[in-house]
Each structure stands twice: as structure tokens, then as C-alpha cells.
Amino acid sequence: MNAGHHSPEDAPGPGGRARTIRFPPFWQAYVARQTAPRLAVLDELVDAHVERRVLRRYVRRLKHAALFTFVTTAAAAHWFSDQIAWLVERMPALRAFWSLITGGSR
């Protein structure tokens, strides 16, 4: 890759040898082109992306909660209707009430 040339500023620190990171010319030119307005626009784009990601995560959790609630409610309603039908078969007063609710057995 790039040859590392050490200058006096790159003197080893207390933890070991200091390293200079050299980027390829393409990235050096890219960083040199950045101005305050361009960086502000980039910052806004990053913020918008983070907001969309958080919103997507929130909507996905809300969708999963709604689906779980619907399935649980449907299962509970089915179970309770089976229990009520079982009781109605055995109790004449409930049978009359159930036929009133369901519109009778035609």
C-alpha cells in the first residue's frame, strides 16, 4: 500500500509506536472538496436517514403488536364461543338466550 514515513511528530507514545494513517489520493481529494455547506447538507441527510430508520422500527413494532393482539383476540373469542356453545347445549335458559343472540337455528 502506501509507504509510511514517520516524522518527528509521530514519535512513539507511552503505549507503543504511533502510526500515521495515510488515505489514498481519491479520499484526500474528497475530504479536501468538503465545505461547510456540503457538510451541513450531509449532516441533514444522515439525520433524515436515522429518523426514517427509527420510524421504520417503530412502525414495525406497532404492526407486530397489532397482529399479535388480533390473533390473540380471535383465539380467545373462538375459545369463549366454543365454551358458550357447550354451556348452551346443557342449559335451556342459556340455549334460549343464545338463539336470541345468534338469530335462532334455522
Side-chain angles (χ1 to χ4, degrees):
M1 281 245 311
N2 294 331
H5 300 288
H6 296 285
S7 61
E9 301 96 39
D10 297 333
R17 195 175 105 195
R19 292 181 52 196
T20 301
I21 299 174
R22 299 196 186 276
F23 291 101
F26 170 78
W27 288 110
Q28 290 176 4
Y30 176 79
V31 170
R33 281 196 312 266
Q34 302 310 308
T35 61
R38 287 180 73 156
L39 290 174
V41 169
L42 183 62
D43 194 34
E44 288 177 18
L45 287 173
V46 169
D47 287 345
H49 178 74
V50 169
E51 285 179 17
R52 283 192 306 271
R53 187 173 57 190
V54 168
L55 188 60
R56 276 194 310 263
R57 186 181 309 142
Y58 175 75
V59 168
R60 185 178 64 238
R61 287 179 180 170
L62 187 64
K63 180 181 73 172
H64 288 168
L67 185 64
F68 175 76
T69 302
F70 176 77
V71 169
T72 304
T73 304
H78 182 71
W79 186 82
F80 280 116
S81 72
D82 286 348
Q83 300 307 311
I84 290 172
W86 184 83
L87 285 172
V88 164
E89 288 176 2
R90 283 151 184 79
M91 296 182 184
L94 280 178
R95 187 178 307 137
F97 182 68
W98 185 254
S99 65
L100 180 67
I101 291 175
T102 60
S105 59
R106 295 178 193 180

